Amino acid sequence: MTQYRSLGRTGVKVSPLCLGTMMFGARGNPDHEDSVRIIRRALDAGINFVDTADVYSAGESETIVGKALAGGRRDGVVLATKFHGSLGEDPNERGNSRRWIIREVENSLRRLGTDWIDLYQVHRPEPDTDFDETLGALTDLVRQGKIRYIGTSTFEPSAIVEGQWIAERRGRERVVAEQPPYSLLARGIEREVLPVAQRYGLGVLAWSPLAGGWLSGRYRKGAEQPRSSRADRQAERFDIVSPENAAKLDAAEALAQLAEEAGLTLIQLALAFVIEHPAVTSAIIGPRTLDQLESQLGADSVRLSRDVLDRIDKIVPPGTNLSSRDAGHVPPSLTEPDQRRRDR
């Protein structure tokens, strides 16, 4: 039986596994009927938390989720979606501005076939947009009843704290949840993000708990590298010649052996590890097929012994990202040379 958890301090109860829907639509599974079956199977298994985003297959994922929740299923689901990514050639069809938020929430509501969104999340930070502008627009949407709560995704610790400060000083609705990348191979958020989330009572939805497929059990030393649409799109993240990826392969092999010794699949080990952290509310699973979903269901009932957790720490030390690409977001202060050099 699913043991539901509190989403931060909201009082809302959610399942430890959250169904992510990025792979439903043209980007992954284009069969709407099959995708609906997968979503409904997850709901029947006790998952009551569904996460999507407007940019997943250019809104198609939201449309599929809307179909799956039709017929009386909507009320029993805590529904989360996100905004920020580009949805057109117009430079204003993206971002964190009031102009775009007010417009795009209506599009998401229409695609989802609902009157309200439980958790509306800022998909990525945008340094050139005043965060107060973003929170002001979201606060208005809460007061209009179109969204219930505000969340962020892949924010730096300082930005998480800034959001709390703005809410307190300027009378905005506060951010109640953060969605960062977290897995056995990407533990960087253990340094600051998770402690900050605990300090401010935020719920945490961990995305990519299987490290983009590295912890699916398909990546083993000596085996032929599996093909996937994700690997085709992001070849540099799966090229095992890369030193960072070679380190991930070594770690995945060691973790797979540990899982076998513990009587678990690597998927179970990976998901159980993520939801073991006291700051984490839910791990977002992102199946493309029903078989993939079935392999992940039930992982929330697995508890890892201290010995297994200690051995994990030796394979991938706490606070370590084996690949810098797995941080999910690199701030412009690092990617833009002009931000580090004075004008001459």
Side-chain angles (χ1 to χ4, degrees):
M1 183 176 179
T2 301
Q3 298 294 316
Y4 295 95
R5 300 177 170 188
S6 293
L7 179 62
R9 295 174 182 166
T10 65
V12 175
K13 302 298 182 181
V14 296
S15 49
L17 296 181
C18 172
L19 181 67
T21 65
M22 185 176 73
M23 299 308 295
F24 299 146
R27 185 172 181 172
N29 186 345
D31 187 327
H32 284 211
E33 291 185 3
D34 187 46
S35 297
V36 167
R37 281 194 292 271
I38 295 169
I39 294 170
R40 290 183 173 174
R41 167 64 181 126
L43 301 182
D44 291 342
I47 291 177
N48 76 336
F49 202 3
V50 177
D51 177 75
T52 185
D54 58 0
V55 293
Y56 293 167
S57 297
E60 189 180 2
S61 172
E62 287 186 327
T63 298
I64 291 170
V65 170
K67 291 179 180 180
L69 298 186
R73 290 179 177 262
R74 170 67 185 93
D75 286 349
V77 170
V78 178
L79 181 58
T81 190
K82 301 180 282 291
F83 68 89
H84 167 83
S86 178
L87 283 171
E89 296 183 2
D90 187 325
N92 289 310
E93 288 184 297
R94 64 170 305 281
N96 301 345
S97 70
R98 170 180 287 273
R99 185 180 191 274
W100 178 239
I101 292 168
I102 299 301
R103 174 182 168 185
E104 186 56 8
V105 72
E106 300 294 343
N107 292 331
S108 286
L109 288 168
R110 172 178 49 78
R111 289 187 292 257
L112 291 164
T114 186
D115 294 327
W116 82 99
I117 294 163
D118 292 293
L119 181 64
Y120 201 37
Q121 301 159 103
V122 191
H123 208 158
R124 290 293 186 274
E126 190 170 65
D128 60 353
T129 300
D130 186 351
F131 200 14
D132 183 51
E133 158 108 353
T134 302
L135 286 181
L138 293 171
T139 295
D140 288 346
L141 293 179
V142 170
R143 294 172 182 174
Q144 291 167 19
K146 294 181 178 180
I147 67 175
R148 299 292 189 257
Y149 301 103
I150 300 166
T152 55
S153 178
T154 323
F155 270 45
E156 295 290 324
S158 59
I160 295 173
V161 174
E162 180 187 6
Q164 300 296 308
W165 183 92
I166 290 171
E168 178 182 342
R169 299 298 178 88
R170 300 182 183 177
R172 307 303 192 190
E173 291 288 324
R174 78 181 192 94
V175 173
V176 303
E178 161 62 11
Q179 185 179 139
Y182 186 42
S183 73
L184 285 164
L185 304 182
R187 302 182 60 176
I189 65 168
E190 292 174 345
R191 291 181 177 273
E192 287 191 84
V193 171
L194 293 181
V196 166
Q198 286 178 294
R199 175 168 296 183
Y200 288 97
L202 273 63
V204 173
L205 293 63
W207 61 264
S208 200
L210 298 184
W214 280 93
L215 298 172
S216 64
R218 299 172 65 202
Y219 289 83
R220 300 294 297 264
K221 298 193 75 171
E224 183 178 353
Q225 185 174 358
R227 293 294 304 273
S228 71
S229 59
R230 188 181 315 213
D232 291 340
R233 290 193 307 269
Q234 302 174 319
E236 71 284 353
R237 295 191 64 186
F238 295 88
D239 178 9
I240 58 174
V241 176
S242 159
E244 288 187 340
N245 290 338
K248 289 168 68 170
L249 185 60
D250 287 341
E253 178 68 23
L255 291 165
Q257 293 177 10
L258 173 58
E260 290 170 6
E261 293 174 17
L264 303 170
T265 67
L266 180 55
I267 288 173
Q268 291 172 327
L269 180 77
L271 295 176
F273 168 80
V274 168
I275 59 179
E276 175 70 24
H277 196 289
V280 173
T281 307
S282 302
I284 301 176
I285 58 174
R288 181 178 53 83
T289 68
L290 186 59
D291 285 345
Q292 289 176 354
L293 173 66
E294 296 291 352
S295 72
Q296 298 171 59
L297 291 177
D300 54 329
S301 64
V302 174
R303 294 302 304 271
L304 303 180
S305 69
R306 288 186 177 273
D307 174 65
V308 168
L309 292 169
D310 289 343
R311 292 176 65 185
I312 287 172
D313 287 348
K314 291 180 180 179
I315 296 170
V316 182
T320 300
N321 283 349
L322 294 184
S323 172
S324 58
R325 296 187 181 94
D326 292 338
H329 173 73
V330 181
S333 58
L334 299 181
T335 60
E336 301 295 333
D338 289 346
Q339 294 202 16
R340 303 191 302 275
R341 300 168 185 175
R342 292 182 182 273
D343 293 335
R344 298 194 182 275

